[in-house]
Amino acid sequence: MAETFLFGIAKSVVEKIVDLSVDEVRLVYNVKTDLKKLEDTMISIKDKLLDAERQQHHNENLRHCMWKLRDIFYDAEDVIDDFKCEALRKQEAINHRNTNSSK
């Protein structure tokens, strides 16, 4: 069960990064290149995780490392969620200013 659990977290983080690649967010923060590099890195990590998860049952050190990675992915997910919330707040502020200035 742990195999799909950690991979699921990694998949969720990658999906959130892809969601962040929306043009408006990239324009607001000018992070297009950084997000693409992060997405590529996370996809590579996700692929390695699949292999490691298959092998962890035979290696105690690897199993311990996988639990640490789980915590890292949860932290990454929290950072991405915070980033998305801040991007939405800034976009809303821009939209609000544009609405008020057109009146």
Side-chain angles (χ1 to χ4, degrees):
M1 198 49 75
E3 292 150 298
T4 57
F5 180 72
L6 189 54
F7 180 76
I9 296 169
K11 183 178 180 215
S12 173
V13 170
V14 169
E15 288 170 354
K16 287 183 178 198
I17 291 169
V18 170
D19 288 345
L20 284 176
S21 296
V22 176
D23 287 336
E24 295 87 25
V25 174
R26 289 188 298 192
L27 289 173
V28 169
Y29 288 101
N30 197 24
V31 293
K32 181 178 181 177
T33 304
D34 293 336
L35 284 174
K36 180 61 179 151
K37 286 183 353 188
L38 181 58
E39 179 184 358
D40 292 344
T41 300
M42 295 303 287
I43 288 170
S44 177
I45 290 171
K46 186 179 73 164
D47 292 341
K48 300 290 186 227
L49 278 176
L50 279 177
D51 186 48
E53 286 178 343
R54 289 185 200 107
Q55 297 177 30
Q56 74 173 332
H57 303 292
H58 308 292
N59 185 326
E60 183 65 30
N61 289 335
L62 183 58
R63 187 173 21 257
H64 180 69
C65 182
M66 299 298 283
W67 280 104
K68 286 183 176 182
L69 278 173
R70 182 201 62 171
D71 292 339
I72 290 168
F73 273 105
Y74 277 139
D75 290 344
E77 203 169 26
D78 290 344
V79 168
I80 291 167
D81 287 342
D82 291 345
F83 182 82
K84 286 171 68 174
C85 286
E86 185 62 26
L88 288 172
R89 273 194 288 271
K90 287 190 177 200
Q91 188 62 45
E92 185 60 32
I94 291 168
N95 291 343
H96 183 69
R97 272 188 301 223
N98 290 341
T99 302
N100 286 342
S101 65
S102 66
K103 289 182 179 180

